[in-house]
């Protein structure tokens, strides 16, 4: 990061030029940047995150993810702007924002975890912002008003949060996040498996539960199997049972059914291969810290 490279970009009149310059600046980002330069870049980036052009806001969000990962100390500056952009009028900006927020979950939680007790006000705000992102993403993924592109990215954010806030994720030490967050978010994902807003979202939820969360966090497998089994009974009811309760267009029904069967077979095999002590305990496996 050079001193103030982003400030000059804001004055560029042409939006495509602002995007190109942001991408160049992002490519030049260094993980070894000093804290002062990173703080200056974060402050300058706020103007670009509020740019009138959606393509510029998307490019600024990509830069924000890389900057926050390289220099987590700037997250108290950046996260309020990212939280606000989850309400952007452009679905493409919201999708990119969810992607950036997911990428910054672990650095943000590690920063909070290292904050000590009592948690400094700026880090308590970081924790509250992550909690707000979590709540909003969980609502987005089930919303009929959202596009599939936004809903599926919201699923991926929730998946990332469950992984970051459970055994093997986060920053270690005191909980930066909360196992209760993971437990509640996993509950929203499993509920979505039986009441999806679209076949596309259902396919992504099946993959997220079976291939990502279930495999990485064995303690969640009983809940994952239960959710996928309930999905199967609603999607492919037994002969003589009531009609399917999950509506999938004929064109995509076979693909969804096949992905569900494969996912169930995969998780059941994985479940039976594990020692009993790795199972049970829900998403969290331990109590989460409280905090601001």
């Amino acid at each position: 990061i050079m001193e103030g490279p982003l400030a000059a970009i804001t004055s560029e009149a042409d939006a495509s030029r602002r995007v190109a310059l942001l991408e160049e600046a992002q490519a030049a980002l260094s993980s070894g940047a000093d804290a002062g330069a990173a703080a200056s870049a974060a402050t300058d980036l706020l103007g670009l995150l509020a740019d009138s052009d959606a393509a510029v806001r998307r490019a600024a969000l990509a830069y924000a993810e890389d900057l926050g990962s390289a220099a987590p100390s700037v997250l108290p500056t950046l996260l309020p702007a990212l939280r606000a952009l989850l309400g952007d009028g452009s679905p493409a900006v919201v999708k990119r924002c969810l992607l950036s927020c997911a990428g910054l979950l672990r650095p943000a939680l590690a920063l909070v975890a290292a904050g000590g007790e009592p948690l400094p006000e700026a880090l308590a705000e970081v924790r509250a912002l992550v909690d707000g992102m979590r709540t909003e993403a969980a609502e987005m993924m089930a919303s009929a008003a959202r596009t599939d592109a936004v809903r599926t990215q919201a699923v991926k954010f929730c998946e990332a949060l469950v992984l970051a806030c459970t055994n093997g994720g986060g920053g270690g030490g005191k909980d930066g996040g909360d196992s209760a967050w993971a437990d509640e978010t996993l509950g929203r994902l499993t509920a979505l498996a039986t009441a999806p807003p679209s076949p596309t979202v259902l396919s992504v939820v099946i993959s997220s539960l079976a291939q990502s969360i279930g495999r990485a966090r064995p303690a969640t497998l009983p809940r994952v199997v239960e959710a996928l089994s309930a999905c199967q009974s609603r999607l492919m009811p037994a002969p003589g049972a009531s009609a399917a309760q999950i509506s999938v267009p004929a064109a995509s029904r076979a693909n969804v059914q096949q992905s569900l069967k494969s996912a169930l077979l995969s998780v059941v095999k994985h479940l039976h291969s594990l020692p009993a002590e790795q199972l049970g305990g829900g998403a969290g496996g331990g109590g989460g810290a409280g905090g601001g």
Side-chain angles (χ1 to χ4, degrees), residues 1-2 5 21-33 63 66:
I1 308 170
M2 296 178 297
L21 289 171
L22 260 172
E23 290 171 348
E24 287 176 16
Q26 183 182 354
L29 268 175
S30 165
S31 59
Y63 187 105
D66 284 2

Side-chain angles (χ1 to χ4, degrees), residues 161-207:
L161 184 129
V162 171
L163 295 175
C165 289
T166 48
N167 210 14
K174 291 188 176 68
D175 288 312
D178 194 325
S179 59
W181 290 358
D183 197 56
E184 182 184 334
T185 304
L186 179 60
R188 299 289 287 267
L189 284 166
T190 56
L192 208 57
T194 56
S198 76
T200 300
V201 173
L202 177 58
S203 293
V204 174
V205 168
I206 290 169
S207 173

Side-chain angles (χ1 to χ4, degrees), residues 9 19-20 26 41 51-52 72 81 87-88 110-111 122 125 165-166 174 182 185 188 197 238 243 248 252 278 292:
I9 299 177
V19 170
Q26 183 182 354
D51 196 277
S52 60
D88 197 270
L111 190 68
E125 177 64 13
C165 289
T166 48
K174 291 188 176 68
T185 304
R188 299 289 287 267
V248 176
S252 53
Q278 289 193 38

Side-chain angles (χ1 to χ4, degrees), residues 256-278:
V256 173
Q257 289 176 343
Q258 184 55 47
S259 67
L260 177 58
K261 287 178 181 177
S262 297
L264 263 171
L265 183 62
S266 171
V267 296
V268 169
K269 280 184 176 179
H270 190 47
L271 186 64
H272 288 145
S273 72
L274 295 169
E277 58 267 21
Q278 289 193 38

Side-chain angles (χ1 to χ4, degrees), residues 147-247:
T147 63
D148 266 344
V150 167
R151 288 188 293 230
T152 54
Q153 196 61 59
V155 170
K156 300 307 286 184
F157 175 92
C158 289
E159 172 194 309
L161 184 129
V162 171
L163 295 175
C165 289
T166 48
N167 210 14
K174 291 188 176 68
D175 288 312
D178 194 325
S179 59
W181 290 358
D183 197 56
E184 182 184 334
T185 304
L186 179 60
R188 299 289 287 267
L189 284 166
T190 56
L192 208 57
T194 56
S198 76
T200 300
V201 173
L202 177 58
S203 293
V204 174
V205 168
I206 290 169
S207 173
S208 180
L209 289 173
Q211 303 304 326
S212 298
I213 296 173
R215 285 195 167 274
R217 301 292 181 265
T220 68
L221 276 170
R223 292 176 69 182
V224 167
V225 171
E226 182 182 11
L228 295 181
S229 299
C231 175
Q232 184 179 44
S233 68
R234 288 174 176 240
L235 185 65
M236 299 176 276
S242 57
Q245 294 170 275
I246 298 176
S247 177

Side-chain angles (χ1 to χ4, degrees), residues 16-198:
S16 61
R17 179 68 179 150
R18 294 199 295 280
V19 170
L21 289 171
L22 260 172
E23 290 171 348
E24 287 176 16
Q26 183 182 354
L29 268 175
S30 165
S31 59
D34 67 85
S40 173
T43 301
D44 291 342
L45 187 59
L46 295 178
L48 292 160
L49 288 166
D51 196 277
S52 60
D53 187 89
V56 176
R57 296 198 298 280
R58 290 201 308 274
L61 282 163
Y63 187 105
E65 181 181 353
D66 284 2
L67 179 62
S69 297
S73 60
V74 305
L75 290 175
T77 300
L78 292 179
L79 288 185
L82 269 62
R83 174 75 178 84
L85 283 171
L86 287 176
D88 197 270
S90 163
V93 171
V94 175
K95 180 185 176 185
R96 176 65 245 194
C97 188
L98 284 163
L99 182 62
S100 294
C101 289
L104 291 172
L105 272 174
R106 289 181 185 274
L109 293 176
L111 190 68
V112 171
E117 296 289 347
L119 199 60
E121 186 176 345
L123 296 186
E125 177 64 13
V126 166
R127 192 179 190 283
L129 286 163
V130 172
D131 191 19
M133 291 171 179
R134 173 186 75 88
T135 302
E136 189 155 359
E139 291 170 355
M140 280 184 188
M141 66 184 182
S143 171
R146 298 287 182 172
T147 63
D148 266 344
V150 167
R151 288 188 293 230
T152 54
Q153 196 61 59
V155 170
K156 300 307 286 184
F157 175 92
C158 289
E159 172 194 309
L161 184 129
V162 171
L163 295 175
C165 289
T166 48
N167 210 14
K174 291 188 176 68
D175 288 312
D178 194 325
S179 59
W181 290 358
D183 197 56
E184 182 184 334
T185 304
L186 179 60
R188 299 289 287 267
L189 284 166
T190 56
L192 208 57
T194 56
S198 76

